[in-house]
Amino acid sequence: MTYDKLSIGVEPLGDISDLDTYYENIDQDLCQDFVILPVINGSPEKSSLIYDPNTPFSLKDTVFKTSKNTYRVIAGLGNLKGDGKDWSYEMVERNSAWIKKQLTYVSYQGCTGVLLPEIESYSGSIVSLGQLVLLVLSDAELMVEILIRVRVAGTEEDIEKKWQLWHRVRTVFLEVEDVDLENIDMWSRWFAEPVACLSIPTTLFLQNSNGYPVLRPTVQRLLQQWMDYNVAIIVSEKKENTCQTNNAQLSDYVKYVRHLHHKLPKKSQDEILANTHRDYLQAPLQPLMNNLGSVTYEVFEQDSHKYIQYEEVWLEKNNAEIWGNQVKLVYADMREWSPPEKAHILASELLGSFGDNELSPECLDGAQSCLRSDGVCIPQEYTSYIAPISSSKLYSSIEAHGSEKYAETPYVVRFHEANRVAPTKSAWSFSHPISPDILEKSKREGSPNKHNQRHCSVNFSTSKSAVIHGIAGYFESSLYKDVRISIVPETHSCGMFSWFPIYFPLKTPLSIVPGSKVVVSIWRRSSNAKVWHEWLVEVFSNPVSKQGDGHPGLLISSSGIHNVGGSSFWIGL
């Protein structure tokens, strides 16, 4: 099994006067998919008529003589007037007209997309650029993808500033330079953004003993990691190349990138199956309300690790004499069934992505009457974990539904284009069997499920700027003694894929900066007929108080409580 097809482009140096001639002369063996070329041929200052929105481009102005190869082009737009620092509204409109003239032309020619100049050139007034992009995007007839170049270079502080600029515009063409490429944490937040292209300048390449360009191992690993996100890879030719040799042509760089793609390890069948669900929003299962189809169980049964762990418990706690050669199936609600003899073991597979979200507590409480006083429950204990998470893709998927209800519904998701902005922390736990006194007390108080309600408020510290789009939820469970299963990222059971994490979305994303304190609050509530979760995220500018004095610091933003009273989603009892 190979990875998805890799798209590779080049950004050559020097002026190219004719696109068709360029493609006739390039090395056909390098399998180049596209090229980045300027819309304007040569200096944009050569004719004042070029900027006139009412004067069409002439053939001598552009590299596009025909439309034969334009589908293989990302068009670089010509420079704007002014530096963005003192743009008046008239200047914004003038630049907007200049960009729209180019966009209309490349859209007509059938180009793949367009590339705005580097974001740093607008640092004086990024708002002006944002305003300009909005004006351009308001034209529904322009059917091209708009990218803006973000050059990742310099210190970690420099990169932090670049991310802040990008966050205020939000279309990205990511260019990598010689930064700390081993700092995966620095890169992780970019994986949650809609990165379309990753540009690798030729200055990052070294020369091997045969005189050909190669990348050092840290850059190789980073590039291969990005390949798994299906971004286009661009080799950007620079004057100050490190491969100072006559042998190294632009085609050699492209072939080397292809070589790295072919070296990616083959995916296992488990990975292939799990990857079909990447960033796909699924409603959590409701086993007490719905009959699950055979396809669902077939997926479960392919998870060998889960069954190995369950089998290990059986081997320790049972022997052949208990089972004999007969198994009798009883079709009944476990909470109401009265067995002829109480059991030594009560085993269940009702753990959900958040541990309790498929009503494992309620089901095992009800079935506990079938268990001997010295009996054992499997699982014995499970703990829910949470972390704030960033994912532009998941936010966009929910927003596309156009209804607030979808933003107040939890989903089961295999996260891919997502990033936890802080490590996971525990929320709450359940253990079984519970004391009969606790069950009796809840019944006497007229709320039989009161003891299964939970609440937590968990503090998270952040060291980088990010946008919180929701809360990621996980679980870890002790099946019996030291036999454990986990989907928590830090302790994930290797090879297990039956459970994907749960995702509690936010209706409105919350921005954070380095030093922000994030407080995530979740409630597990219940009535006699249903169970539901409510959630809230708050961002504070100062460290959260540990004295419990009711003054956590300066509140910057709050998501508001979601799914109050189970208004949008609940799990039926």
Side-chain angles (χ1 to χ4, degrees), residues 264-279:
L264 288 170
K266 290 186 177 180
K267 296 178 181 177
S268 67
Q269 289 301 314
D270 290 349
E271 289 177 311
I272 294 170
L273 178 65
N275 287 352
T276 59
H277 294 80
R278 280 179 170 177
D279 297 323

Side-chain angles (χ1 to χ4, degrees), residues 120-230:
E120 192 173 24
S121 61
Y122 306 99
S123 58
S125 180
I126 198 69
V127 174
S128 298
L129 177 60
Q131 186 181 36
L132 182 62
V133 171
L134 286 175
L135 281 172
V136 172
L137 291 177
S138 65
D139 191 339
E141 295 182 0
L142 298 176
M143 304 298 291
V144 291
E145 184 176 15
I146 299 176
L147 304 172
I148 185 165
R149 188 190 300 266
V150 179
R151 193 183 304 274
V152 181
T155 65
E156 192 163 347
E157 182 179 355
D158 294 330
I159 295 170
E160 174 67 30
K161 292 177 181 177
K162 294 290 183 67
W163 193 92
Q164 290 279 6
L165 290 174
W166 135 250
H167 176 45
R168 299 173 70 183
V169 180
R170 292 216 156 245
T171 46
V172 69
F173 171 111
L174 201 61
E175 181 165 331
V176 178
E177 288 205 352
D178 198 4
V179 296
D180 184 3
L181 298 171
E182 296 186 14
N183 187 351
I184 298 300
D185 182 57
M186 182 188 75
W187 289 101
S188 59
R189 61 178 163 179
W190 290 104
F191 295 139
E193 305 296 352
V195 176
C197 304
L198 184 74
S199 177
I200 304 293
T202 51
T203 50
L204 277 185
F205 289 78
L206 305 175
Q207 179 180 316
N208 68 6
S209 58
N210 295 319
Y212 290 99
V214 295
L215 292 170
R216 62 180 187 269
T218 53
V219 187
Q220 290 181 37
R221 289 193 293 270
L222 177 66
L223 189 58
Q224 289 180 318
Q225 190 170 5
W226 272 108
M227 288 175 181
D228 196 32
Y229 285 81
N230 295 327

